[in-house]
Amino acid sequence: MASKLLRAVILGPPGSGKGTVCQRIAQNFGLQHLSSGHFLRENLKANTEVGEMARQYLEKGLLVPDHVITRLMVSELELRSGQHWLLDGFPRTIVQAEALDKICDLDLVISLNIPFETLKDRLSRRWIHRPSGRVYNLDFNPPHVHGIDDITGEPLVQQEDDKPEAVAAKLRRYKDAAKPVIELYKSRGVLHQFSGTETNRIWPYVYTLFSNKITPIQSKEAY
């Protein structure tokens, strides 16, 4: 097995089970799970320069632009140049993908293809704990007590953009932005697409793919 550091990206629309797959990859293969959403929340909380830049857009209900997200993620990646990692939530656009190209070569890009109706159903069943970003789904990841975060006991909320009409618009936006990114990685031969409606059915194929690139740190597939 090569000793080269593994550089991987996971692409998938909101509600695709991307977070769950990332946790399993991190657990089984020892990759650092680097989530753009997590880093954004950390920088907002710490009032860093890049956090303040992002806040100006978020407070107006706008998407954080490419140059801000790219700056945030590139600085985080530079801190982890000696680690295997898995990127989640970045790159989302072709501009971000081109910026990532300048600092590293990717070994694996996973794209999760989940039917539109499945995503719509999942997302409208989603509740979040806003301070931590923890996500619950009433069908397959419900809180122990309805409406309450398992860890802090604080209330959960349903975001406006998790209502069905907003979900449909969000999924269309994702698809439009992701299409050229997917095409780029496909043309390079590093893209692996997985289709299905259940994370547990997709997972064994993802596990096998990673096993061919890096030795698992656990002898069995952890769920």
Side-chain angles (χ1 to χ4, degrees):
M1 203 67 71
S3 58
K4 178 182 177 294
L5 290 168
L6 189 68
R7 304 282 180 243
V9 165
I10 186 161
L11 305 172
S16 60
K18 193 158 53 77
T20 305
V21 172
C22 286
Q23 283 170 357
R24 291 183 185 180
I25 292 169
Q27 203 180 342
N28 280 275
F29 297 97
L31 273 72
Q32 293 287 313
H33 173 200
L34 309 181
S35 157
S36 59
H38 170 75
F39 291 134
L40 190 55
R41 282 190 295 275
E42 291 288 299
N43 277 266
L44 286 166
K45 209 186 294 177
N47 298 314
T48 63
E49 187 188 346
V50 74
E52 289 305 313
M53 287 165 74
R55 197 186 312 278
Q56 291 170 18
Y57 295 93
L58 294 168
E59 283 176 349
K60 295 175 190 159
L62 301 170
L63 290 174
V64 179
D66 286 333
H67 73 274
V68 178
I69 291 289
T70 298
R71 183 170 159 188
L72 168 73
M73 294 307 291
V74 166
S75 64
E76 293 291 347
L77 291 175
E78 283 168 352
L79 296 173
R80 294 166 174 79
S81 58
Q83 299 171 341
H84 297 290
W85 50 245
L86 170 67
L87 278 177
D88 168 14
F90 179 87
R92 284 178 196 246
T93 66
I94 196 71
V95 173
Q96 293 175 15
E98 285 164 354
L100 183 59
D101 267 356
K102 290 179 182 149
I103 61 163
C104 72
D105 292 321
L106 294 175
D107 303 296
L108 280 183
V109 178
I110 291 168
S111 176
L112 301 178
N113 298 329
I114 315 295
F116 185 84
E117 285 305 313
T118 303
L119 293 171
K120 216 163 85 171
D121 289 348
R122 278 184 190 174
L123 288 172
S124 50
R125 305 275 289 156
R126 187 162 82 157
W127 290 72
I128 68 157
H129 176 246
R130 197 164 265 144
S132 68
R134 267 188 293 281
V135 176
Y136 295 88
N137 185 287
L138 300 184
D139 292 325
F140 58 86
N141 176 32
H144 296 314
V145 179
H146 183 71
I148 299 294
D149 178 51
D150 289 347
I151 292 168
T152 63
E154 293 168 353
L156 302 175
V157 295
Q158 185 167 45
Q159 302 185 113
E160 276 303 311
D161 63 358
D162 283 339
K163 310 267 165 76
E165 313 71 42
V167 163
K170 190 197 294 188
L171 292 173
R172 278 193 294 273
R173 276 199 308 276
Y174 168 82
K175 194 174 177 186
D176 292 345
K179 196 177 177 197
V181 178
I182 288 168
E183 289 302 319
L184 172 73
Y185 293 134
K186 196 175 183 178
S187 72
R188 292 198 182 151
V190 293
L191 182 77
H192 300 265
Q193 302 196 65
F194 298 95
S195 303
T197 57
E198 293 174 43
T199 303
N200 284 346
R201 294 207 172 170
I202 293 172
W203 170 244
Y205 299 101
V206 175
Y207 181 88
T208 300
L209 174 67
F210 272 84
S211 299
N212 291 331
K213 294 279 183 184
I214 185 171
T215 307
I217 57 171
Q218 299 198 0
S219 56
K220 279 195 273 201
E221 301 171 25
Y223 275 65

